[in-house]
């Protein structure tokens, strides 16, 4: 009998935003179990594993996984395939791609890559496909995809950068006195964060949960404040108004780190500038305007005015704080109550507790999935600035919560763009424009669809959009995956991917200040192949072979050859050979936990936080505000007769699945109820004549779903919920995704989204996708999964 050994593996449930590396134990050539990773140094003991990670060891042996290349033999969508060899698959795919290129142009190939779908994200799947895309001149249709975009909107316009604000070290929570969990559920879904919330609570911190459902985090919290769906910015701005009216804000903080003292022109809403383009404040000592120095955070005068208005050279101006005070004054306690459902006394107490706490944290983490979400996160950041709860231990605001420690940068661009950004031939296209191009063939036809990562038919609703509109236009569809998915059933060819347990990778996201090598725990089961093999074989058949001349391990070595100091300064030098020997190496990070607000210097022209965002003036969004959701039945919409349904539909995630991962595992299916069901509040069910267990049709103008309905007081009145993750085949008829607004579609694109794309493309300097360092993927569309209106009716037996 051999002894146990181990390798590190990215958890297949990567997309839950914990992004864990697992310690995979192997004996006699088989995976025995998965355990938490062993971090070193300051992060010792910070490895975690949830039930999905524990169950991950079963996945390679699942009889339903894909093990051989498949070619379609039936109609698209039927799911009828035959096994073929890799040579046949690559020969036929390459031949068809060349034929389509010659007939329609290279941009007629669209390559779909949602990088979070394949662990590790930003790994070789993303880099190899970007390299091929740029050499071929293919289309990247994932720009403005509309996935968790609110945090990026808020941090880009308020701070000038969004990558920086994606991560926070959860150790910062330990010394917090007051934590508001807002629209998130870390207790059930993020073990590393949950541990630090437990630590904070054990030290006396009060935990308040604000959200839609009474979930695990609400149960853990000291107080749960339920809010109506989509109303979060109304509540946050009402809190801001109270803080301003009571003069409980930190004036020195606002004057030092924000645009609060900057004069704003009343005629056009822009910041006042002098002849050299510098910003202008009002000097109270001189009773005159005073110019700042562009690019410097410090203000020349000693006593800038916070709140006032003046006429300068015939132009009436007000300070940005004055504009904020006037704007926030409309968010009264009485105004917000019918919108949020929160009593005025509760809002007033919440705001006071937040102000009084020595160190307070607002934890918002991708749970706000509606068109109004960007306003919510901007309002959270505003609350942090008003109270000075930014840039110190125990205090802060998160929007997207990736608990990874310091950002680690690898030598990626040299791989994804071998001829440099200026010679990158790939075409970026907003998802909405891609949908229209498939319909109209303008600005050019899309005739081939290559799915690198993701399952768009399932995860990028609406299902009918793909089945009835997009796919019938395609002359070739190729899907790379480990399972037969709802997308794969429409493919012409399916290429089996290696699972993380079967291939080398560099763990390059959320590795908690460590560089981790993923190594194969077992030999591939069947004939799956890693991305280096796939793109190398394809490239040599279409004339790009010279660009794909390295092995997987050689590409990893090239990635490690980075100038980024936290990796480049590791001693002795971090080479692939060293990493292979040690498996995990700590980066050279500072001795304090990562906090994106550390130093309080921002990537704006004046290095200050823009709670008044000049780039949003043109779309009437300079200051965070509440806007009515897209189509859900608010009181105003009912009064105007424009509501599109009686109920709000939402498809919240549950802890036993990760997107559509783990739905094949019989244990996880059983824990999830065995089959998909819906939930609604007993009050609504009684009004509809629906009893627990009745068969019900949930429907709207986009589609429908027949489901067994469960009655649950956890579900707020006026809402209907079906768990996200179940595949189409699990439903009797229809599917929840038929009801949803297509992500990134023109339905979601408003003037703010159009402005957002323009601003991010200007910041990029070139148009390229996420895996090449571009901003576009994260800009220009909204999540609207929770904005969907629906109706219900009982299905008679």
């Amino acid at each position: 009998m051999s002894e146990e050994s181990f390798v590190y593996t990215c958890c297949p449930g990567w997309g839950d935003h914990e992004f864990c590396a697992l310690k995979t134990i192997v004996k006699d050539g088989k995976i025995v179990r998965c355990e938490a990773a062993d971090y070193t140094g300051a992060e010792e003991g910070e490895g975690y594993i949830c039930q999905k990670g524990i169950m991950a060891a079963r996945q390679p042996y699942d009889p339903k996984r894909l093990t051989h290349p498949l070619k379609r033999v039936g109609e698209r969508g039927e799911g009828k395939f035959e096994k073929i060899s890799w040579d046949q698959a690559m020969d036929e795919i390459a031949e068809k791609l060349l034929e389509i290129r010659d007939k329609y142009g290279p941009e007629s190939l669209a390559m779909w890559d949602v990088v979070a779908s394949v662990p590790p994200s930003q790994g070789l799947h993303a880099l190899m496909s970007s390299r091929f895309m740029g050499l071929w001149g293919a289309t990247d249709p994932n720009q403005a995809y509309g996935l968790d975009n609110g945090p990026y909107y808020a941090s880009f316009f308020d701070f000038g950068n969004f990558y920086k604000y994606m991560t926070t070290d959860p150790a910062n929570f330990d010394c917090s006195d007051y934590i508001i969990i807002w629209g998130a559920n870390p207790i059930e879904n993020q073990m590393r964060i949950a541990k630090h919330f437990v630590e904070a609570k054990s030290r006396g911190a009060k935990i308040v949960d604000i959200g839609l459902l009474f979930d695990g985090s609400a149960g853990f919290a000291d107080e749960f404040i339920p809010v109506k769906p989509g109303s979060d910015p109304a509540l946050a701005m009402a809190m801001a108004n109270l803080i301003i009216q009571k003069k409980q804000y930190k004036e020195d903080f606002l004057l030092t780190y924000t645009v609060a003292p900057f004069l704003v022109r009343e005629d056009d809403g822009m910041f006042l500038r002098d002849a050299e383009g510098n910003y202008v404040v009002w000097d109270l000592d001189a009773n005159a305007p005073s110019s700042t120095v562009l690019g410097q955070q410090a203000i020349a005068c000693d006593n800038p005015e916070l709140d006032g208005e003046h006429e300068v050279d015939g132009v009436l101006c007000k300070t940005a704080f004055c504009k904020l005070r006037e704007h926030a004054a409309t968010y009264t306690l009485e105004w917000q109550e019918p919108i949020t459902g929160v009593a005025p006394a509760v809002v007033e107490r919440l705001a006071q507790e937040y102000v009084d706490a020595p160190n307070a944290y607002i934890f918002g983490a991708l749970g706000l999935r509606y068109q109004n979400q960007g306003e919510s996160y901007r309002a959270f950041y505003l609350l942090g600035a008003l109270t000075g709860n930014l840039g110190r231990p125990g205090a802060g605001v998160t929007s997207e919560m990736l608990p990874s420690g310091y950002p680690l940068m690898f030598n990626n661009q040299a791989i994804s763009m071998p001829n440099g950004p200026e010679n990158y031939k790939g075409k970026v296209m907003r998802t909405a424009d891609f949908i229209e191009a498939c319909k109209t063939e303008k600005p050019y036809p899309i005739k081939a669809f290559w799915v690198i990562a993701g399952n768009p038919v399932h995860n990028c609703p609406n299902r009918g959009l793909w089945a009835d509109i997009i796919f019938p236009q395609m002359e070739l569809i190729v899907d790379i995956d480990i399972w037969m998915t709802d997308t794969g059933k429409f493919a012409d060819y399916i290429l089996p991917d290696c699972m993380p347990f079967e291939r080398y990778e560099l763990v390059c996201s959320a590795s908690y200040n460590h560089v981790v090598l993923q190594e194969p725990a077992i030999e591939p089961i069947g004939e799956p192949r890693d991305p280096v093999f796939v793109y190398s074989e394809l490239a040599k058949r279409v004339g790009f072979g010279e660009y794909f001349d390295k092995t997987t391990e050689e590409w990893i070595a090239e990635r490690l050859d980075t100038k980024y100091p936290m990796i480049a300064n590791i001693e002795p030098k971090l080479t692939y050979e060293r990493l292979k020997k040690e498996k995990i190496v700590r980066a050279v990070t500072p001795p304090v936990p990562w906090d994106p607000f550390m130093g309080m210097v921002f990537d704006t022209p004046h290095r200050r936080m823009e709670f008044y965002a000049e780039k949003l003036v043109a779309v009437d969004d300079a200051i965070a505000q509440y806007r009515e959701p897209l189509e859900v039945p608010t009181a105003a919409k009912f009064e105007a007769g424009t509501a599109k349904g009686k109920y709000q539909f939402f498809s919240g995630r549950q802890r036993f699945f990760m997107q559509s991962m783990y739905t094949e595992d019989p244990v996880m299916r059983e824990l999830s109820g065995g089959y998909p069901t819906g939930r609604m509040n007993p009050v609504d069910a009684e009004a509809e004549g629906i009893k627990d267990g009745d068969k019900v049709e949930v429907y709207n103008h986009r589609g429908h779903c027949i489901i067994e309905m469960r009655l649950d007081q956890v579900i707020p009145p006026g809402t209907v919920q079906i768990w996200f993750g179940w595949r189409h085949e699990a439903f009797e008829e229809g599917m929840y995704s038929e009801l949803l607004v297509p992500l990134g579609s023109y339905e979601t694109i408003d003037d703010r989204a159009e402005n957002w794309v323009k601003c991010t493309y200007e910041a990029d300097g070139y148009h390229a996708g996420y895996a090449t360092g571009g901003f576009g993927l994260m800009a220009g569309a909204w999540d609207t999964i929770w904005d969907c209106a629906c109706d219900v009716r009982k299905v008679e037996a």
Side-chain angles (χ1 to χ4, degrees), residues 649-650 672 675-681 690-696 698 705-712 715 719-723 726 731 736 792:
F649 175 79
F650 71 98
S672 302
Y675 54 92
T677 56
R679 295 194 295 173
M680 64 187 302
N681 190 278
I690 295 171
K691 294 182 173 59
D692 188 68
D694 280 351
K695 191 175 293 186
V696 172
V698 184
C705 179
I706 292 179
I707 200 86
E708 182 181 297
M709 188 62 71
R710 296 296 184 185
L711 309 189
D712 193 336
I715 303 300
T719 59
V720 174
Q721 187 253 346
I722 301 173
W723 285 125
W726 293 101
F731 291 85
Y736 68 88
V792 299

Side-chain angles (χ1 to χ4, degrees), residues 106-120:
E107 64 275 8
S108 62
L109 166 62
M111 302 185 71
W112 184 271
D113 182 5
V114 181
V115 294
S117 300
V118 175

Side-chain angles (χ1 to χ4, degrees), residues 688-691 694-697 699 792-797:
E688 299 288 348
I690 295 171
K691 294 182 173 59
D694 280 351
K695 191 175 293 186
V696 172
E697 182 183 24
Y699 65 97
V792 299
R793 56 191 169 210
K794 184 176 177 180
V795 177
E796 299 298 334

